[in-house]
Amino acid sequence: MKAQELQDLIDFIAKSGLNKVNIETEDFKISVQRDPNTKIVTMAGAAPAPAATAAAPAPAAQAAPAAAAPAAAEAPAASSATPLKSPMIGTFYRSSSPETPAFVQVGDMVEKGQVICIIEAMKLFNEIEAEQSGRIVKALVENATPVEYDQPLFLIEAV
């Protein structure tokens, strides 16, 4: 992996708001961990180096619990709905560009395999498809916000 690719990866992880990430391949091992007091990036065989951009996601991380509280309050009403979860970490987008309408709105009917959002990871835009046919009951994530692996994105009620 080239130095610029490595820096891009570290920057992406820092912006995602994750507290800990471990990546291991045959060629290298990277462990990124941050807490409120220190922000350290270590690589196997290298000295620790400060992660310069790790401080940026702190406000987003603090806003997430406040946004989750209303979703929890409405969960009993949509108990028959199945969550569509993020298959990766990245940035969630409801449309393909700011000028185009969202792929789906609450109340829309979707078919299995229909694209309902995009997650950007490492400058690649990944189309996320509905895993079942049904009706979108609730959007659980705001547009252009970081998401984590297995984080619920939408609630879909089978019909």
Side-chain angles (χ1 to χ4, degrees), residues 62-140:
Q62 292 172 352
E74 296 178 28
S79 62
S80 64
T82 304
L84 172 71
K85 297 182 179 181
S86 175
M88 64 189 70
I89 63 169
T91 304
F92 170 86
Y93 294 104
R94 295 194 63 181
S95 64
S96 58
S97 73
E99 299 83 30
T100 60
F103 289 109
V104 294
Q105 299 291 337
V106 173
D108 286 356
M109 295 299 294
V110 295
E111 297 295 322
K112 182 177 180 176
Q114 177 181 341
V115 175
I116 61 172
C117 65
I118 291 177
I119 296 180
E120 176 192 10
M122 299 293 295
K123 299 183 181 178
L124 295 174
F125 292 87
N126 302 281
E127 294 181 337
I128 307 304
E129 300 175 347
E131 296 173 348
Q132 68 181 31
S133 296
R135 183 175 53 86
I136 301 291
V137 176
K138 183 163 181 67
L140 302 172

Side-chain angles (χ1 to χ4, degrees), residues 7-20:
Q7 184 61 45
D8 290 345
L9 176 62
I10 291 169
D11 289 344
F12 175 77
I13 292 169
K15 290 176 185 174
S16 74
L18 296 174
N19 289 329
K20 185 173 182 179

